[in-house]
Amino acid sequence: MVRIKNRYIVVRIVPEVPAKVLNFHDAVIAKCILNHVKKFYGDYGLGTVEQGFRVKYCNERTKVTIIRCLHRSHRVVTSTLPLITMIGDVRAKFHTLYTGATIIQCNKFIINHQQRFLDEMVGQIASAKERKEFIKRVMEFDLEQ
């Protein structure tokens, strides 16, 4: 039996107009990517990508998304992502952050990426009191609500 190899692509959605929360669902992002793959690679490209394609994770607050595709078609997806300018009805771009073989490695990358972002943001705050309040707000942030 042959093992099916997947690739996981971590992307950040950057809207043209900054917003705190983007109201994107997995299906909207998947449809957008597949439509652009068909536009740039035709029916053959869509057929190669469509088989194992799925948006596994989409966080509307951090604007980070994990996309799963087959090993043989991940280059088609990653070459199409920078060409997308509209997601649903919002002007936005995809920035590819990481491509990994397992979703566990992608989760580790996201944790490290968010930690670097938090360190950068805390470094820009001048007073110690504001730093403590900022860290407290971030640590109390619950994604399930």
Side-chain angles (χ1 to χ4, degrees):
M1 187 182 296
V2 177
R3 182 173 75 102
I4 298 173
K5 295 180 181 179
N6 292 316
R7 287 293 177 254
Y8 296 89
I9 305 162
V10 178
V11 295
R12 183 169 41 104
I13 300 171
V14 181
E16 189 174 281
V17 177
K20 288 187 177 182
V21 178
L22 294 175
N23 293 323
F24 290 138
H25 299 287
D26 300 348
V28 173
I29 296 171
K31 184 178 176 184
C32 175
I33 294 170
L34 290 175
N35 285 341
H36 280 81
V37 166
K38 183 174 182 179
K39 178 181 176 182
F40 294 114
Y41 286 96
D43 290 332
Y44 177 76
L46 181 63
T48 59
V49 170
E50 203 171 36
Q51 185 178 3
F53 185 81
R54 183 168 176 211
V55 176
K56 294 291 283 184
Y57 172 77
C58 179
N59 190 329
E60 288 122 7
R61 293 187 187 269
T62 60
K63 301 170 185 78
V64 173
T65 303
I66 298 177
I67 301 166
R68 181 190 75 189
C69 56
L70 292 178
H71 182 272
R72 67 174 181 253
S73 64
H74 78 280
R75 290 192 177 143
V76 173
V77 175
T78 55
S79 66
T80 304
L81 289 174
L83 303 174
I84 298 173
T85 58
M86 292 289 287
I87 304 167
D89 56 351
V90 177
R91 289 191 72 69
K93 297 183 201 176
F94 285 104
H95 287 218
T96 304
L97 301 175
Y98 178 74
T99 302
T102 65
I103 200 161
I104 295 170
Q105 291 299 320
C106 290
N107 286 334
K108 288 179 184 178
F109 175 81
I110 290 172
I111 290 169
N112 290 336
H113 181 264
Q114 293 298 89
Q115 186 63 42
R116 285 192 308 266
F117 176 75
L118 180 63
D119 291 343
E120 181 180 310
M121 293 305 293
V122 169
Q124 293 177 357
I125 298 174
S127 70
K129 183 178 178 182
E130 289 177 0
R131 279 189 206 131
K132 286 182 182 180
E133 289 176 7
F134 180 75
I135 291 172
K136 183 180 176 185
R137 282 189 312 218
V138 169
M139 294 303 179
E140 290 177 356
F141 181 67
D142 187 15
L143 292 177
E144 300 300 323
Q145 293 180 352

